[in-house]
């Protein structure tokens, strides 16, 4: 116990996480006396970790990263039905009665930078069918898009996700010609440092299309560079990273993060 309210991020490995930098930046800007830290939890330590924190009154909750996003669902309640939708939790906190519950802030974080874009009735392309893609599809299923074309090396997995989220659309393999779309999202690992590049022809996108890359290492991906070269609007992965942290911050500390400092935060994250 620290005597000071705190939240943390757990995972294995965990040293690379940017969450402490983001949450501490906001705590500092808002003058909240609390801490946010990294905590290394190996897979066989998860149950003990949860039961220890359950009894710690200073602990406000935690963010959960690889490899615990699925396993943690066995230890906490699921009031939002995350297990049957996004299928993974990335945030644990206490409810008003003190019980631990889990949620997933990735869908909200993904949606934050496009909240003002009128996507209802529009066509969308999503590349990838992993955990991040599920959060994206969850958000898209809530805003009544017309169709989602998914592109994944395993097209069958992508088709199954479309059905699960009740979305109309199609699943294609990489290399297939893309239809026009108002929004194209890269939710795959392609383009990430150490991974293959995403090879894609943006030629079918209309001039008002938005290209949104969830990859944030590097921040200026080849996809975003190609979209910019075509004069398209782009959104980078830091926007979602900050957006998902913002939803968690409110849950942990009860205040909205000060968005007026986002540019300063982005610079810090890019250092
Ligand atoms: P994941 O669950 O492991 O899914 C990775 C996806 O990428 C899968 O669909 C996989 O295809 C595809 N993929 C991986 N390697 C590939 C290759 N060589 N060729 C073709 N497809 C490949 O990972 P995730 O958690 O969804 O993360 C995906 C990306 O989103 C990562 O870059 C991650 O950093 C980013 N992300 C960003 C944020 C943010 O806040 N900005 C949040 C979450 C994730 P298969 O389905 O065929 O295996």
């Amino acid at each position: 116990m620290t005597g000071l309210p705190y939240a943390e991020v757990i995972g294995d490995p965990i040293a690379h996480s940017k969450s402490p930098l983001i949450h501490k930046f906001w705590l500092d800007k808002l003058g909240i006396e609390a801490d946010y830290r990294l905590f290394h939890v190996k897979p066989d330590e998860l149950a003990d970790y949860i039961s220890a924190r359950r009894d710690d009154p200073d602990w406000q909750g935690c963010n959960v990263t690889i490899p615990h996003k699925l396993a943690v669902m066995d230890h906490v309640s699921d009031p939002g039905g995350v297990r049957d939708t996004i299928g993974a939790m990335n945030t644990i906190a206490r409810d008003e009665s003190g019980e631990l519950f889990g949620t997933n802030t990735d869908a909200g974080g993904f949606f934050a930078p496009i909240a003002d874009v009128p996507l209802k009735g529009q066509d969308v392309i999503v590349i990838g069918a992993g955990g991040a893609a599920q959060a994206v599809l969850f958000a898209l299923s809530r805003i009544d898009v017309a169709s989602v074309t998914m592109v994944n090396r395993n097209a069958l997995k992508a088709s199954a996700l479309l059905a699960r989220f009740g979305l109309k659309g199609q699943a294609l393999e990489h290399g297939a010609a893309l239809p026009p779309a108002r929004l194209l999202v890269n939710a795959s690992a392609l383009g990430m440092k150490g991974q293959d590049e995403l090879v894609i022809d943006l030629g079918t996108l209309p001039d008002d299309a938005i290209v949104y890359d969830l990859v944030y290492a590097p921040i200026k991906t080849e996809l975003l560079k190609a979209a910019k070269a075509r004069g398209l609007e782009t959104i980078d992965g830091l926007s979602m990273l900050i957006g998902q942290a913002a939803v968690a911050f409110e849950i942990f500390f009860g205040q909205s993060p000060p968005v007026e400092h986002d540019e300063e935060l982005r610079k810090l994250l890019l250092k």
Side-chain angles (χ1 to χ4, degrees):
M1 260 183 251
T2 64
L4 195 68
Y6 71 101
E8 54 199 350
V9 55
I10 63 164
D12 177 31
I14 196 59
H16 66 285
S17 173
K18 303 224 183 262
S19 295
L21 194 159
I22 299 174
H23 286 265
K24 280 181 163 172
F25 175 85
W26 287 331
L27 287 171
D28 186 45
K29 289 289 177 200
L30 292 170
I32 297 175
E33 288 209 10
D35 194 16
Y36 185 103
R37 62 199 198 192
L38 295 170
F39 199 79
H40 188 186
V41 176
K42 293 186 189 150
D44 62 356
E45 297 168 344
L46 183 64
D48 286 347
Y49 167 82
I50 301 270
S51 67
R53 291 299 187 267
R54 214 182 269 282
D55 297 329
D56 180 351
D58 296 327
W59 183 77
Q60 308 301 304
C62 66
N63 287 118
V64 178
T65 188
I66 291 167
H68 304 308
K69 286 185 175 191
L70 300 183
V72 81
M73 292 193 286
D74 293 337
H75 299 278
V76 297
S77 71
D78 179 18
V82 166
R83 184 188 280 270
D84 295 330
T85 53
I86 302 175
M89 289 175 174
N90 74 344
T91 304
I92 306 299
R94 283 185 219 286
D95 65 18
E96 280 156 11
S97 66
E99 286 304 307
L100 300 191
F101 72 95
T103 187
N104 192 312
T105 64
D106 276 343
F110 160 74
F111 185 62
I114 53 169
D116 293 335
V117 180
L119 285 170
K120 189 175 173 186
Q122 300 286 332
D123 299 312
V124 179
I125 296 170
V126 176
I127 300 152
Q134 290 184 53
V136 169
L137 294 178
F138 177 77
L140 295 176
S141 71
R142 293 292 187 272
I143 54 175
D144 250 347
V145 296
S147 78
V148 178
T149 293
M150 292 194 68
V151 181
N152 201 45
R153 61 183 170 186
N154 179 347
L156 210 57
K157 180 176 169 190
S159 288
L161 285 184
L162 285 175
R164 176 157 140 208
F165 287 97
L167 288 159
K168 289 193 187 121
Q170 58 180 335
L172 305 174
E173 288 179 6
H174 285 276
L178 295 179
R182 178 79 165 85
L183 173 70
L184 179 144
V185 182
N186 177 30
S188 79
L190 293 172
M192 245 175 104
K193 201 172 158 194
Q195 300 281 342
D196 292 342
E197 279 308 334
L198 174 61
V199 180
I200 198 158
D201 178 10
L202 301 177
T204 54
L205 297 185
D207 291 344
D208 66 348
I210 299 169
V211 175
Y212 189 165
D213 201 339
L214 305 196
V215 171
Y216 57 83
I219 191 67
K220 287 181 186 160
T221 60
E222 293 304 317
L223 171 67
L224 293 185
K225 285 185 206 165
K228 274 218 163 90
R230 251 220 58 195
L232 303 178
E233 188 182 332
T234 59
I235 302 174
D236 64 39
L238 280 191
S239 305
M240 174 166 164
L241 189 71
I242 294 171
Q244 60 79 28
V247 182
F249 185 88
E250 276 201 59
I251 294 173
F252 298 146
F253 301 112
Q255 290 190 48
S256 306
V259 287
E260 64 274 23
H261 299 294
D262 270 8
E263 270 318 303
E264 189 184 340
L265 176 57
R266 287 177 69 90
K267 281 190 190 135
L268 264 181
L269 287 165
L270 288 172
K271 263 190 191 165

